Amino acid sequence: PTLGMSAFEGDETVPPPPQVSPANFGHMLLKSAFEAPEPPSEGSELHGKLDEDGLPACQPCAWFHKPSGCINGRACKRCHLCPEGEPKLRKKQKVARLRQLQ
């Protein structure tokens, strides 16, 4: 490359990045999440469903949102779609339910 040119300038084999307006980015991201052919983990198949007691049927993966990530990947029996902090929230809710029964 000449001085002042990057190695990719003038290289027609590298496609340009898709142009997405900030206003449409969230919509595209949400749309792609619903069009995913399979859930990110086996445990994610129950995400958004309720069990016979009216509680969320999925069990959130405590490792998915950590820097090291979930080592089980797609084979994980826990939900990878639950938001960060969901395991702690569910535990607090369970303790509150048990206290009400006493």
Side-chain angles (χ1 to χ4, degrees):
T2 60
L3 201 57
M5 286 183 67
S6 74
F8 297 107
E9 285 182 22
D11 185 2
E12 295 180 24
T13 60
V14 178
Q19 298 297 316
V20 179
S21 72
N24 290 335
F25 181 73
H27 175 70
M28 285 182 51
L29 189 61
L30 188 61
K31 182 180 174 187
S32 68
F34 284 110
E35 291 178 350
E38 59 187 34
S41 69
E42 290 180 24
S44 298
E45 293 174 6
L46 297 175
H47 186 78
K49 297 181 174 123
L50 301 177
D51 65 10
E52 59 276 353
D53 297 324
L55 300 171
C58 66
Q59 296 178 336
C61 179
W63 294 99
F64 183 70
H65 294 288
K66 298 205 184 288
S68 60
C70 177
I71 62 170
N72 297 318
R74 169 86 179 100
C76 184
K77 303 293 184 198
R78 305 289 180 147
C79 184
H80 288 182
L81 293 174
C82 286
E84 188 173 4
E86 188 70 11
K88 189 174 186 176
L89 175 66
R90 298 248 185 115
K91 187 172 185 173
K92 285 182 179 182
Q93 291 171 341
K94 181 180 179 180
V95 168
R97 280 194 313 275
L98 293 174
R99 283 188 179 150
Q100 284 181 342
L101 295 175
Q102 292 179 350

